[in-house]
Amino acid sequence: EYIRLMHGLTDLEEELASKLKLKRVVIIPGDSEEDQAARRELGRAAAGVLSQYLGNNSTIAVSGGSTMAVVAEAVQASAAAVTVVPARGGLGEEVEFQANTVASVMAAKLGGRYRMLHIPDGLSEKSLEIILENDSNMRMVADMIRHADILIHGIGQAREMAVRRNMSEAAVAEILATGAVGEALGHYCSLQGEIVYVTNSVGLRLDELESIGLVVAVAGGSDKAQAIVAVTSAGGQSVLVTDEAAARRVRTII
Ligand code: F6P
């Protein structure tokens, strides 16, 4: 607390919360992109926010990504019976970054249960529909995701995420040409919060988060400042957990 006051982080938290129209912003000191200790601290702060809102029989939907992997590791055992589900499936990423993986790690730490979404990547809307129609387990998980009490997710830079998902150079250029700077849940957003491209998948949509009780975004590092503004401007977000490096840069662009 002393460190936060010393760095003026409490004022910055309030300023960003009001400008980004969020319930709450939590800023940890330092730069989580440069410093492993700060990175773990970001994870701990997000895990702390999560624990404050966990109720009995809560369903938590989680995204993938390296930040969320750190959050999952930081989570502590909960007395509440919770189930963790991936927020969205099949975004075309490495196993350790997948939401399924984060969900299973977080569930183990919480002492809760998890459900997975096994969806191949790159399916058409039509194929997804057919799978959902024919696979009752998948339908049930999709339903749990839609009714999640808490969503906790990462935010990434549009270019980095498009490249990480092995999109062709032409596809990456096309997405960037639409003005995309940030990405969350497979949704690419412009700085103004307009959703300009969506990866086909099953699960939560960034523009349909009103039914989720609490939406927590976790992202740090000054390079993610634009992405943070883009995704929080798209709406539906309640809490942002970030670091000082990102927060100070965000302040210069809002
Ligand atoms: O791919 C899942 C995801 O949560 C993306 O939506 C987000 O942009 C990204 O991970 C963040 O990844 P990282 O924490 O590794 O920067």
Side-chain angles (χ1 to χ4, degrees):
E1 197 53 42
Y2 171 70
I3 293 178
R4 302 158 74 75
L5 284 173
M6 202 174 67
H7 289 249
L9 294 184
T10 310
D11 289 346
L12 190 53
E13 287 174 343
E14 279 167 21
E15 183 185 341
L16 293 198
S18 124
K19 287 197 176 146
L20 296 172
K21 300 191 177 63
L22 299 171
K23 259 197 219 123
R24 191 174 157 201
V25 173
V26 176
I27 304 172
I28 62 113
D31 184 346
S32 63
E33 208 170 61
E34 299 293 329
D35 173 14
Q36 282 302 319
R39 197 166 169 73
R40 280 194 298 277
E41 199 47 43
L42 184 68
R44 266 200 293 274
V49 168
L50 184 64
S51 71
Q52 287 168 18
Y53 293 95
L54 272 188
N56 215 21
N57 297 320
S58 290
T59 300
I60 310 167
V62 299
S63 79
S66 62
T67 309
M68 281 305 302
V70 175
V71 175
E73 289 293 342
V75 158
Q76 298 195 345
S78 165
V82 294
T83 305
V84 191
V85 292
R88 219 166 148 79
L91 295 178
E93 346 202 39
E94 308 282 333
V95 171
E96 70 262 41
F97 287 149
Q98 285 173 12
N100 276 337
T101 310
V102 172
S104 68
V105 171
M106 189 181 283
K109 294 272 176 185
L110 284 167
R113 290 152 36 104
Y114 65 86
R115 290 292 166 80
M116 313 227 117
L117 259 185
H118 294 292
I119 301 181
D121 293 325
L123 291 185
S124 66
E125 193 89 26
K126 187 81 206 145
S127 317
L128 285 172
E129 252 173 52
I130 293 171
I131 292 180
L132 277 174
E133 260 166 39
N134 292 288
D135 186 329
S136 61
N137 183 57
M138 183 103 78
R139 260 203 319 276
M140 191 197 65
V141 179
D143 202 55
M144 287 181 76
I145 294 172
R146 245 193 324 277
H147 293 104
D149 302 289
I150 302 174
L151 162 66
I152 177 159
H153 69 87
I155 294 175
Q157 296 179 70
R159 173 192 295 278
E160 190 182 324
M161 291 316 298
V163 170
R164 192 187 287 179
R165 290 171 180 152
N166 294 316
M167 288 185 194
S168 69
E169 239 170 77
V172 175
E174 206 171 304
I175 290 180
L176 296 180
T178 60
V181 295
E183 188 278 351
L185 302 177
H187 292 60
Y188 292 78
C189 309
S190 72
L191 194 59
Q192 289 71 36
E194 196 191 339
I195 294 168
V196 290
Y197 178 83
V198 184
T199 307
N200 237 353
S201 192
V202 170
L204 289 176
R205 294 189 50 104
L206 193 62
D207 50 359
E208 290 176 357
L209 297 179
E210 300 78 25
S211 60
I212 311 290
L214 183 83
V215 179
V216 183
V218 192
S222 56
D223 288 350
K224 283 193 182 178
Q226 285 204 335
I228 290 169
V229 174
V231 171
T232 52
S233 301
Q237 306 287 319
S238 347
V239 181
L240 168 68
V241 182
T242 188
D243 63 14
E244 188 177 353
R248 295 207 184 280
R249 179 76 64 84
V250 164
R251 187 167 188 247
T252 66
I253 53 180
I254 52 175

mmCIF file of all heavy atoms in Angstrom, residues 4-32:
data_model
loop_
_atom_site.group_PDB
_atom_site.id
_atom_site.type_symbol
_atom_site.label_atom_id
_atom_site.label_comp_id
_atom_site.label_asym_id
_atom_site.label_seq_id
_atom_site.Cartn_x
_atom_site.Cartn_y
_atom_site.Cartn_z
ATOM 1 N N ARG A 4 2.323 1.878 -3.365
ATOM 2 C CA ARG A 4 1.319 2.406 -4.299
ATOM 3 C C ARG A 4 1.133 3.908 -4.093
ATOM 4 O O ARG A 4 1.075 4.672 -5.039
ATOM 5 C CB ARG A 4 -0.022 1.711 -4.101
ATOM 6 C CG ARG A 4 0.067 0.232 -4.282
ATOM 7 C CD ARG A 4 -1.097 -0.398 -3.562
ATOM 8 N NE ARG A 4 -2.300 -0.171 -4.319
ATOM 9 C CZ ARG A 4 -2.559 -0.834 -5.417
ATOM 10 N NH1 ARG A 4 -1.722 -1.723 -5.882
ATOM 11 N NH2 ARG A 4 -3.666 -0.620 -6.074
ATOM 12 N N LEU A 5 1.053 4.308 -2.820
ATOM 13 C CA LEU A 5 0.849 5.724 -2.524
ATOM 14 C C LEU A 5 2.062 6.528 -2.971
ATOM 15 O O LEU A 5 1.941 7.587 -3.579
ATOM 16 C CB LEU A 5 0.619 5.920 -1.020
ATOM 17 C CG LEU A 5 -0.768 5.525 -0.533
ATOM 18 C CD1 LEU A 5 -0.847 5.578 0.975
ATOM 19 C CD2 LEU A 5 -1.825 6.426 -1.160
ATOM 20 N N MET A 6 3.241 5.960 -2.690
ATOM 21 C CA MET A 6 4.479 6.638 -3.026
ATOM 22 C C MET A 6 4.572 6.896 -4.533
ATOM 23 O O MET A 6 5.027 7.928 -4.973
ATOM 24 C CB MET A 6 5.648 5.752 -2.585
ATOM 25 C CG MET A 6 6.920 6.479 -2.373
ATOM 26 S SD MET A 6 8.127 5.332 -1.692
ATOM 27 C CE MET A 6 8.375 4.232 -3.052
ATOM 28 N N HIS A 7 4.116 5.936 -5.305
ATOM 29 C CA HIS A 7 4.183 6.074 -6.764
ATOM 30 C C HIS A 7 2.979 6.816 -7.331
ATOM 31 O O HIS A 7 2.870 6.978 -8.532
ATOM 32 C CB HIS A 7 4.255 4.690 -7.415
ATOM 33 C CG HIS A 7 5.561 3.995 -7.205
ATOM 34 N ND1 HIS A 7 6.453 3.760 -8.222
ATOM 35 C CD2 HIS A 7 6.132 3.485 -6.098
ATOM 36 C CE1 HIS A 7 7.509 3.128 -7.739
ATOM 37 N NE2 HIS A 7 7.345 2.948 -6.455
ATOM 38 N N GLY A 8 2.044 7.193 -6.478
ATOM 39 C CA GLY A 8 0.836 7.874 -6.957
ATOM 40 C C GLY A 8 -0.073 6.929 -7.718
ATOM 41 O O GLY A 8 -0.875 7.350 -8.541
ATOM 42 N N LEU A 9 0.062 5.635 -7.467
ATOM 43 C CA LEU A 9 -0.705 4.667 -8.259
ATOM 44 C C LEU A 9 -2.186 4.675 -7.909
ATOM 45 O O LEU A 9 -3.024 4.385 -8.757
ATOM 46 C CB LEU A 9 -0.125 3.255 -8.085
ATOM 47 C CG LEU A 9 1.278 3.086 -8.663
ATOM 48 C CD1 LEU A 9 1.739 1.643 -8.539
ATOM 49 C CD2 LEU A 9 1.322 3.537 -10.119
ATOM 50 N N THR A 10 -2.512 5.031 -6.668
ATOM 51 C CA THR A 10 -3.922 5.051 -6.284
ATOM 52 C C THR A 10 -4.680 6.127 -7.076
ATOM 53 O O THR A 10 -5.780 5.888 -7.570
ATOM 54 C CB THR A 10 -4.053 5.287 -4.765
ATOM 55 O OG1 THR A 10 -3.184 4.356 -4.111
ATOM 56 C CG2 THR A 10 -5.460 5.056 -4.294
ATOM 57 N N ASP A 11 -4.064 7.295 -7.220
ATOM 58 C CA ASP A 11 -4.684 8.364 -8.027
ATOM 59 C C ASP A 11 -4.834 7.920 -9.476
ATOM 60 O O ASP A 11 -5.862 8.169 -10.112
ATOM 61 C CB ASP A 11 -3.817 9.629 -8.000
ATOM 62 C CG ASP A 11 -3.870 10.308 -6.636
ATOM 63 O OD1 ASP A 11 -4.776 9.946 -5.846
ATOM 64 O OD2 ASP A 11 -3.013 11.168 -6.374
ATOM 65 N N LEU A 12 -3.779 7.294 -9.983
ATOM 66 C CA LEU A 12 -3.799 6.842 -11.376
ATOM 67 C C LEU A 12 -4.886 5.780 -11.587
ATOM 68 O O LEU A 12 -5.588 5.787 -12.606
ATOM 69 C CB LEU A 12 -2.417 6.290 -11.749
ATOM 70 C CG LEU A 12 -2.150 5.992 -13.223
ATOM 71 C CD1 LEU A 12 -2.451 7.181 -14.116
ATOM 72 C CD2 LEU A 12 -0.690 5.543 -13.421
ATOM 73 N N GLU A 13 -5.044 4.914 -10.603
ATOM 74 C CA GLU A 13 -6.107 3.893 -10.686
ATOM 75 C C GLU A 13 -7.474 4.564 -10.823
ATOM 76 O O GLU A 13 -8.288 4.166 -11.658
ATOM 77 C CB GLU A 13 -6.118 3.016 -9.419
ATOM 78 C CG GLU A 13 -4.967 2.032 -9.345
ATOM 79 C CD GLU A 13 -4.897 1.261 -8.037
ATOM 80 O OE1 GLU A 13 -5.532 1.687 -7.042
ATOM 81 O OE2 GLU A 13 -4.199 0.235 -7.998
ATOM 82 N N GLU A 14 -7.691 5.600 -10.010
ATOM 83 C CA GLU A 14 -8.994 6.270 -10.047
ATOM 84 C C GLU A 14 -9.201 7.028 -11.348
ATOM 85 O O GLU A 14 -10.279 7.012 -11.935
ATOM 86 C CB GLU A 14 -9.143 7.195 -8.846
ATOM 87 C CG GLU A 14 -9.557 6.397 -7.627
ATOM 88 C CD GLU A 14 -9.424 7.168 -6.339
ATOM 89 O OE1 GLU A 14 -9.392 8.418 -6.375
ATOM 90 O OE2 GLU A 14 -9.349 6.513 -5.281
ATOM 91 N N GLU A 15 -8.133 7.671 -11.806
ATOM 92 C CA GLU A 15 -8.229 8.427 -13.056
ATOM 93 C C GLU A 15 -8.552 7.490 -14.234
ATOM 94 O O GLU A 15 -9.442 7.772 -15.044
ATOM 95 C CB GLU A 15 -6.912 9.165 -13.323
ATOM 96 C CG GLU A 15 -6.972 10.027 -14.563
ATOM 97 C CD GLU A 15 -5.636 10.688 -14.914
ATOM 98 O OE1 GLU A 15 -4.759 10.782 -14.028
ATOM 99 O OE2 GLU A 15 -5.490 11.095 -16.073
ATOM 100 N N LEU A 16 -7.837 6.377 -14.311
ATOM 101 C CA LEU A 16 -8.068 5.449 -15.427
ATOM 102 C C LEU A 16 -9.448 4.813 -15.332
ATOM 103 O O LEU A 16 -10.132 4.641 -16.341
ATOM 104 C CB LEU A 16 -6.989 4.363 -15.484
ATOM 105 C CG LEU A 16 -5.560 4.791 -15.824
ATOM 106 C CD1 LEU A 16 -4.738 3.590 -16.259
ATOM 107 C CD2 LEU A 16 -5.501 5.875 -16.888
ATOM 108 N N ALA A 17 -9.867 4.466 -14.114
ATOM 109 C CA ALA A 17 -11.196 3.859 -13.952
ATOM 110 C C ALA A 17 -12.262 4.799 -14.481
ATOM 111 O O ALA A 17 -13.171 4.385 -15.206
ATOM 112 C CB ALA A 17 -11.451 3.521 -12.489
ATOM 113 N N SER A 18 -12.124 6.074 -14.165
ATOM 114 C CA SER A 18 -13.149 7.016 -14.601
ATOM 115 C C SER A 18 -13.065 7.250 -16.113
ATOM 116 O O SER A 18 -14.081 7.253 -16.804
ATOM 117 C CB SER A 18 -13.048 8.286 -13.761
ATOM 118 O OG SER A 18 -12.879 9.413 -14.562
ATOM 119 N N LYS A 19 -11.865 7.384 -16.658
ATOM 120 C CA LYS A 19 -11.746 7.653 -18.103
ATOM 121 C C LYS A 19 -12.091 6.430 -18.958
ATOM 122 O O LYS A 19 -12.627 6.563 -20.057
ATOM 123 C CB LYS A 19 -10.331 8.126 -18.427
ATOM 124 C CG LYS A 19 -10.093 9.547 -17.934
ATOM 125 C CD LYS A 19 -8.893 10.172 -18.591
ATOM 126 C CE LYS A 19 -8.743 11.630 -18.145
ATOM 127 N NZ LYS A 19 -7.334 12.022 -18.057
ATOM 128 N N LEU A 20 -11.755 5.236 -18.452
ATOM 129 C CA LEU A 20 -12.050 4.023 -19.239
ATOM 130 C C LEU A 20 -13.441 3.471 -18.902
ATOM 131 O O LEU A 20 -13.851 2.432 -19.417
ATOM 132 C CB LEU A 20 -10.983 2.949 -18.989
ATOM 133 C CG LEU A 20 -9.552 3.281 -19.430
ATOM 134 C CD1 LEU A 20 -8.572 2.219 -18.935
ATOM 135 C CD2 LEU A 20 -9.462 3.412 -20.948
ATOM 136 N N LYS A 21 -14.150 4.170 -17.996
ATOM 137 C CA LYS A 21 -15.500 3.762 -17.571
ATOM 138 C C LYS A 21 -15.517 2.339 -17.012
ATOM 139 O O LYS A 21 -16.322 1.499 -17.411
ATOM 140 C CB LYS A 21 -16.493 3.896 -18.718
ATOM 141 C CG LYS A 21 -16.593 5.318 -19.236
ATOM 142 C CD LYS A 21 -17.762 5.473 -20.192
ATOM 143 C CE LYS A 21 -17.922 6.903 -20.653
ATOM 144 N NZ LYS A 21 -16.749 7.395 -21.416
ATOM 145 N N LEU A 22 -14.603 2.092 -16.062
ATOM 146 C CA LEU A 22 -14.526 0.781 -15.423
ATOM 147 C C LEU A 22 -14.884 0.929 -13.953
ATOM 148 O O LEU A 22 -14.740 2.002 -13.371
ATOM 149 C CB LEU A 22 -13.107 0.211 -15.542
ATOM 150 C CG LEU A 22 -12.608 -0.021 -16.968
ATOM 151 C CD1 LEU A 22 -11.130 -0.377 -16.966
ATOM 152 C CD2 LEU A 22 -13.424 -1.104 -17.652
ATOM 153 N N LYS A 23 -15.334 -0.170 -13.351
ATOM 154 C CA LYS A 23 -15.643 -0.163 -11.922
ATOM 155 C C LYS A 23 -14.379 0.046 -11.113
ATOM 156 O O LYS A 23 -14.373 0.705 -10.082
ATOM 157 C CB LYS A 23 -16.225 -1.518 -11.537
ATOM 158 C CG LYS A 23 -17.710 -1.521 -11.397
ATOM 159 C CD LYS A 23 -18.131 -2.769 -10.604
ATOM 160 C CE LYS A 23 -19.408 -3.300 -11.219
ATOM 161 N NZ LYS A 23 -19.338 -4.661 -11.669
ATOM 162 N N ARG A 24 -13.310 -0.579 -11.580
ATOM 163 C CA ARG A 24 -12.104 -0.586 -10.772
ATOM 164 C C ARG A 24 -10.885 -0.861 -11.639
ATOM 165 O O ARG A 24 -10.940 -1.661 -12.564
ATOM 166 C CB ARG A 24 -12.262 -1.705 -9.754
ATOM 167 C CG ARG A 24 -11.256 -1.722 -8.660
ATOM 168 C CD ARG A 24 -11.658 -2.796 -7.665
ATOM 169 N NE ARG A 24 -10.491 -3.205 -6.932
ATOM 170 C CZ ARG A 24 -10.372 -4.359 -6.296
ATOM 171 N NH1 ARG A 24 -11.368 -5.220 -6.312
ATOM 172 N NH2 ARG A 24 -9.278 -4.653 -5.645
ATOM 173 N N VAL A 25 -9.797 -0.149 -11.337
ATOM 174 C CA VAL A 25 -8.513 -0.425 -11.984
ATOM 175 C C VAL A 25 -7.500 -0.722 -10.878
ATOM 176 O O VAL A 25 -7.439 -0.014 -9.881
ATOM 177 C CB VAL A 25 -8.035 0.775 -12.841
ATOM 178 C CG1 VAL A 25 -6.622 0.541 -13.368
ATOM 179 C CG2 VAL A 25 -8.995 1.014 -14.009
ATOM 180 N N VAL A 26 -6.760 -1.794 -11.046
ATOM 181 C CA VAL A 26 -5.712 -2.160 -10.086
ATOM 182 C C VAL A 26 -4.375 -2.072 -10.818
ATOM 183 O O VAL A 26 -4.200 -2.697 -11.859
ATOM 184 C CB VAL A 26 -5.926 -3.594 -9.550
ATOM 185 C CG1 VAL A 26 -4.780 -3.998 -8.628
ATOM 186 C CG2 VAL A 26 -7.269 -3.718 -8.850
ATOM 187 N N ILE A 27 -3.459 -1.254 -10.283
ATOM 188 C CA ILE A 27 -2.155 -1.080 -10.927
ATOM 189 C C ILE A 27 -1.055 -1.582 -9.997
ATOM 190 O O ILE A 27 -0.935 -1.114 -8.863
ATOM 191 C CB ILE A 27 -1.895 0.398 -11.261
ATOM 192 C CG1 ILE A 27 -3.021 0.968 -12.138
ATOM 193 C CG2 ILE A 27 -0.541 0.563 -11.971
ATOM 194 C CD1 ILE A 27 -2.938 2.479 -12.353
ATOM 195 N N ILE A 28 -0.247 -2.507 -10.481
ATOM 196 C CA ILE A 28 0.900 -2.944 -9.675
ATOM 197 C C ILE A 28 2.121 -2.134 -10.119
ATOM 198 O O ILE A 28 2.209 -1.725 -11.274
ATOM 199 C CB ILE A 28 1.148 -4.465 -9.777
ATOM 200 C CG1 ILE A 28 1.478 -4.870 -11.222
ATOM 201 C CG2 ILE A 28 -0.049 -5.255 -9.281
ATOM 202 C CD1 ILE A 28 2.880 -5.345 -11.398
ATOM 203 N N PRO A 29 3.039 -1.841 -9.197
ATOM 204 C CA PRO A 29 4.221 -1.043 -9.554
ATOM 205 C C PRO A 29 5.108 -1.777 -10.554
ATOM 206 O O PRO A 29 5.149 -3.002 -10.564
ATOM 207 C CB PRO A 29 4.967 -0.884 -8.216
ATOM 208 C CG PRO A 29 4.034 -1.330 -7.157
ATOM 209 C CD PRO A 29 3.036 -2.245 -7.786
ATOM 210 N N GLY A 30 5.795 -1.010 -11.413
ATOM 211 C CA GLY A 30 6.802 -1.594 -12.289
ATOM 212 C C GLY A 30 6.300 -1.966 -13.669
ATOM 213 O O GLY A 30 5.243 -1.523 -14.113
ATOM 214 N N ASP A 31 7.091 -2.790 -14.339
ATOM 215 C CA ASP A 31 6.822 -3.163 -15.729
ATOM 216 C C ASP A 31 6.892 -4.685 -15.852
ATOM 217 O O ASP A 31 7.972 -5.269 -15.818
ATOM 218 C CB ASP A 31 7.886 -2.508 -16.627
ATOM 219 C CG ASP A 31 7.638 -2.765 -18.101
ATOM 220 O OD1 ASP A 31 6.830 -3.653 -18.436
ATOM 221 O OD2 ASP A 31 8.269 -2.065 -18.919
ATOM 222 N N SER A 32 5.745 -5.298 -16.008
ATOM 223 C CA SER A 32 5.685 -6.770 -16.003
ATOM 224 C C SER A 32 6.275 -7.374 -17.271
ATOM 225 O O SER A 32 6.519 -8.577 -17.341
ATOM 226 C CB SER A 32 4.247 -7.241 -15.817
ATOM 227 O OG SER A 32 3.455 -6.828 -16.901
#
